[in-house]
């Protein structure tokens, strides 16, 4: 499976962006799709995920109420709508296909190339 993000850019605080991730095929064996981000000098962190089993969503506390994840399986696109952006949202955002690891934890294992989001005050 191949993943390709788009939609990143530069905005001011309070602005909005919508990220898209096109995937080459629907992954029936995966546990979900997700968005991660990595800021300079920090580890990659999960921003949001959507379960392939029941469509339930998970959000990092820092983005709850501001970001919305959605998925269009017919078009094979994953979205992340980001509103009320803050400077601390600045990072490279990665789309990921998620699979259960040996501990049965759903985690990103197949990655896109990333798209830069920069929020300035």
């Amino acid at each position: 499976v191949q993943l390709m993000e788009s939609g990143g850019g530069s905005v001011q605080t309070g602005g909005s962006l919508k990220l898209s991730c096109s995937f080459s095929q629907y992954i029936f064996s995966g546990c979900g799709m997700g968005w991660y981000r990595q800021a300079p000098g920090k580890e990659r962190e999960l921003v949001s995920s959507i379960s392939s089993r029941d469509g339930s969503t998970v959000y990092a506390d820092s983005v709850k109420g501001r970001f919305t994840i959605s998925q269009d399986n017919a078009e094979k696109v994953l979205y992340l709508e980001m509103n009320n952006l803050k400077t601390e949202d600045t990072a490279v955002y990665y789309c990921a296909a998620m699979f259960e690891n040996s501990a049965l934890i759903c985690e990103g294992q197949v990655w896109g190339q990333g798209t830069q989001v920069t929020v300035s005050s």
Side-chain angles (χ1 to χ4, degrees):
V1 61
Q2 292 181 323
L3 308 172
M4 183 171 293
E5 304 95 336
S6 61
S10 297
V11 296
Q12 293 188 323
T13 53
S16 299
L17 284 173
K18 188 173 185 176
L19 305 183
S20 299
C21 171
S22 298
F23 46 97
S24 57
Q25 62 190 74
Y26 185 74
I27 307 167
F28 292 95
S29 60
C31 52
M33 298 287 293
W35 287 97
Y36 290 72
R37 67 186 181 188
Q38 187 167 21
K42 294 187 177 181
E43 294 187 354
R44 190 175 298 189
E45 63 173 350
L46 177 67
V47 175
S48 182
S49 64
I50 185 166
S51 169
S52 60
R53 294 187 176 92
D54 60 11
S56 59
T57 57
V58 171
Y59 294 94
D61 288 343
S62 59
V63 306
K64 281 181 181 176
R66 299 188 297 121
F67 290 12
T68 303
I69 191 171
S70 61
Q71 184 170 334
D72 184 334
N73 290 332
E75 296 296 326
K76 297 194 288 292
V77 182
L78 179 73
Y79 299 102
L80 183 69
E81 185 167 3
M82 307 185 292
N83 297 312
N84 191 20
L85 283 161
K86 304 177 180 180
T87 55
E88 51 262 45
D89 294 319
T90 295
V92 178
Y93 284 70
Y94 298 90
C95 171
M98 305 178 74
F99 297 85
E100 289 184 349
N101 61 17
S102 57
L104 302 183
I105 296 172
C106 190
E107 64 178 12
Q109 296 186 8
V110 180
W111 302 92
Q113 83 288 352
T115 185
Q116 176 70 46
V117 171
T118 303
V119 185
S120 58
S121 58

